[in-house]
């Protein structure tokens, strides 16, 4: 029993150490999957630790604690600076406009969709005019923008649930992955084109798309858009750019690198290839930089060296930034264990608050929403 427990500790320690490999070294099967499970190794190490206390084996206890801490090395960022970020969140919430919906009851999907239909019947303002009204509110130097990303599972995600979420969370930018043309039409039939009238879709290429193409929607009239803003061996990365002020722009991109099962090298290269979007030019006169925000199912977590290499290129992860606990997004059908696969990341110039994951019907990922404030 004693040596068996030490074997468990050693296996857990070596397993956790896989997350410390150099970037790109994780591009070998089955490393991406083993590394994804590293944050869950606290379960066997705690079991060993409790057994060691009962057995009064203090050396074994120390070994189990060390292995457990190693497995949680990259999880610590989800909790640090909690008090500071909590204060920021409360400040933003106090300064925001109160919702017309009573605080004690959230609107149902049917009520939200009825609101869209009522708006269509009673107003003679076009979607473009409505978006232009919002433009003045959303593109100032202190703009606050609500964003959302979701993997739609081969286009099976429930369109009504997506539109209801956009309406209830006041989403300004929506990024979707694994889309089909049928789902896009269903979204429009349920009012998405009224709420977010501007969009950019990636090309529908079954030979490269991993489950479907990507798309991005926005409430305001963009100054430019691209079908694919960066070249990676996966689905196109569509992007939309809007002005922040006289000197800066902000670009939103919807990304979905290939999963490891479609090739570990393409998986790693796709994740790290997104760092090209961080190569924005600084404004020497004003000292400002354009901002890039990537939203999507990046098929990786903080435990993966390839993903950490992407962050080191100049991105901040919203989930890490708010430090209020990991918002895990896969799989949707299990309350536990879940892992972090979906992300909202941005270059410097924004502050994140209110990062949440929410179930959307008929897809295997949770939606991830966040509020970003442009500094």
């Amino acid at each position: 029993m004693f040596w068996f427990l030490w074997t468990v500790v050693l296996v857990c320690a070596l397993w956790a150490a896989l997350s410390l490999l150099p970037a790109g070294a994780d591009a070998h099967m089955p490393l991406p999957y083993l590394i994804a499970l590293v944050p869950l190794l606290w379960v066997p190490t705690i079991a060993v630790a409790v057994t060691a206390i009962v057995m009064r084996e203090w050396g074994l206890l120390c070994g189990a604690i060390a292995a457990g801490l190693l497995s949680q090395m990259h999880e610590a960022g989800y909790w640090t600076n909690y008090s500071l970020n909590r204060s920021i969140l409360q400040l933003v919430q106090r300064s925001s406009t109160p919702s017309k919906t009573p605080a004690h009851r959230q609107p149902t999907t049917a009520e939200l969709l009825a609101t869209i239909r009522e708006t269509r019947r009673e107003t003679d303002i076009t979607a473009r005019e409505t978006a232009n009204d919002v433009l003045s509110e959303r593109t100032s130097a202190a703009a606050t923008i609500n964003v959302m990303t979701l993997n739609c599972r081969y286009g099976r995600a429930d369109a009504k649930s997506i539109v209801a979420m956009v309406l209830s969370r006041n989403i300004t930018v929506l990024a979707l992955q694994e889309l089909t043309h049928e789902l896009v039409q269903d979204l429009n039939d349920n009012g998405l084109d009224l709420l977010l009238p501007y969009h950019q879709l990636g090309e529908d290429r079954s030979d490269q798309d991993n489950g479907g193409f990507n798309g991005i929607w926005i409430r305001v009239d963009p100054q430019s858009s691209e079908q694919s803003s960066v070249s990676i061996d996966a689905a196109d990365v569509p992007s939309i750019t809007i002005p922040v002020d006289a000197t800066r722009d902000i670009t939103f991109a919807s990304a979905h690198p290939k999963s490891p099962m479609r090739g570990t090298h393409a998986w790693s290269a796709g994740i790290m290839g997104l760092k090209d979007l961080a190569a924005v030019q600084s404004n020497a006169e004003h000292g400002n930089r354009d901002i890039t925000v990537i939203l999507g199912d990046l098929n990786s977590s903080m435990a993966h060296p390839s993903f950490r290499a992407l962050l080191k290129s100049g991105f901040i992860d919203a989930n890490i930034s708010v430090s209020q606990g990991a918002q895990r997004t896969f799989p949707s059908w299990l309350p536990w264990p879940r892992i972090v696969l979906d992300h909202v990341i941005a270059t410097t110039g924004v502050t994140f608050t209110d990062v949440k994951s929410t179930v959307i019907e008929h897809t295997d990922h949770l939606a991830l929403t966040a509020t970003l404030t442009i500094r």
Side-chain angles (χ1 to χ4, degrees), residues 2 6 9 48-49 52-53 55-66:
F2 174 79
W6 264 113
V9 169
V48 173
I53 292 174
M55 297 172 61
R56 297 182 179 274
E57 293 289 346
W58 310 123
L60 178 62
L61 173 63
C62 291
I65 292 174

Side-chain angles (χ1 to χ4, degrees), residues 82 85-99 106 144 146 169 322 324 352-356 370-371 373:
Y82 175 84
N85 286 286
R86 182 67 177 175
S87 298
I88 294 174
L89 175 59
Q90 291 173 344
L91 179 62
V92 171
Q93 289 174 334
R94 285 198 298 266
S95 62
S96 62
T97 303
S99 172
Q106 293 295 321
T144 297
N146 296 327
R169 297 285 176 89
V322 297
Q324 295 174 358
F352 287 107
T353 53
D354 202 24
V355 180
K356 295 180 180 179
T371 298
T373 302

Side-chain angles (χ1 to χ4, degrees), residues 20-321:
L20 304 178
L21 290 170
D26 49 351
H28 300 279
M29 195 65 77
L31 293 184
Y33 296 101
L34 291 176
I35 294 174
L37 298 176
V38 164
L40 301 178
L41 293 178
W42 65 268
V43 176
T45 55
I46 282 185
V48 173
V50 171
T51 305
I53 292 174
V54 173
M55 297 172 61
R56 297 182 179 274
E57 293 289 346
W58 310 123
L60 178 62
L61 173 63
C62 291
I65 292 174
L69 291 176
L70 181 61
S71 72
Q72 300 304 301
M73 177 184 300
H74 301 297
E75 296 288 293
Y78 292 118
W79 294 102
T80 56
N81 297 324
Y82 175 84
S83 297
L84 174 62
N85 286 286
R86 182 67 177 175
S87 298
I88 294 174
L89 175 59
Q90 291 173 344
L91 179 62
V92 171
Q93 289 174 334
R94 285 198 298 266
S95 62
S96 62
T97 303
S99 172
K100 295 181 180 179
T101 302
H104 66 275
R105 188 181 71 84
Q106 293 295 321
T108 65
T109 299
E111 290 171 335
L112 293 171
L113 295 176
T115 300
I116 298 175
R117 297 188 186 100
E118 190 69 18
T119 301
R120 282 176 160 170
R121 286 195 299 266
E122 294 185 355
T123 182
D124 57 358
I125 301 175
T126 65
R128 178 174 295 272
E129 289 170 338
T130 302
N132 287 337
D133 289 339
V134 178
L135 184 61
S136 62
E137 303 174 6
R138 298 293 175 180
T139 58
S140 66
T144 297
I145 301 174
N146 296 327
V147 300
M148 169 178 161
T149 182
L150 175 70
N151 180 312
C152 297
R153 194 184 187 186
Y154 307 107
R156 298 172 186 168
D158 183 66
K160 291 183 179 180
S161 296
I162 295 173
V163 174
M165 181 74 71
V166 169
L167 184 56
S168 64
R169 297 285 176 89
N170 192 26
I171 299 298
T172 302
V173 178
L174 171 68
L176 299 178
Q177 302 85 48
E178 295 196 14
L179 284 165
T180 61
H181 291 295
E182 291 76 14
L183 177 57
V184 172
Q185 184 60 52
D186 200 9
L187 288 166
N188 289 335
D189 290 344
N190 282 279
L192 184 62
D193 56 345
L194 177 65
L195 297 173
L196 305 176
Y198 308 97
H199 69 272
Q200 175 65 61
L201 303 178
E203 183 181 354
D204 184 2
R205 296 178 292 118
S206 58
D207 59 328
Q208 292 293 324
D209 293 347
N210 42 321
F213 56 92
N214 301 329
I216 189 157
W217 282 256
I218 192 166
R219 187 184 300 178
V220 302
D221 192 359
Q223 68 179 23
S224 65
S225 63
E226 292 186 64
Q227 187 176 71
S228 190
S229 53
V230 64
S231 179
I232 61 173
D233 184 17
D236 285 346
V237 184
S239 66
I240 286 177
T241 300
I242 59 175
V244 174
D245 49 39
T247 61
R248 291 184 300 167
D249 298 331
I250 182 168
T251 298
F252 299 92
S254 178
H256 187 203
K258 287 186 175 179
S259 63
M261 70 177 62
R262 298 174 184 270
T264 52
H265 290 284
W267 164 80
S268 176
I271 296 168
M272 292 192 291
L274 294 174
K275 65 184 180 182
D276 290 344
L277 291 173
V280 294
Q281 296 182 350
S282 61
N283 186 311
E285 180 180 355
H286 299 280
N288 293 331
R289 293 176 64 89
D290 292 336
I291 301 168
T292 300
V293 181
I294 301 177
L295 309 98
D297 172 12
L298 303 188
N299 277 313
S300 55
S301 68
M302 281 296 296
H304 290 100
S306 292
F307 179 71
R308 296 200 305 275
L310 170 61
L311 294 185
K312 288 178 181 178
S313 70
F315 286 99
I316 303 167
D317 187 283
N319 213 342
I320 292 290
S321 176

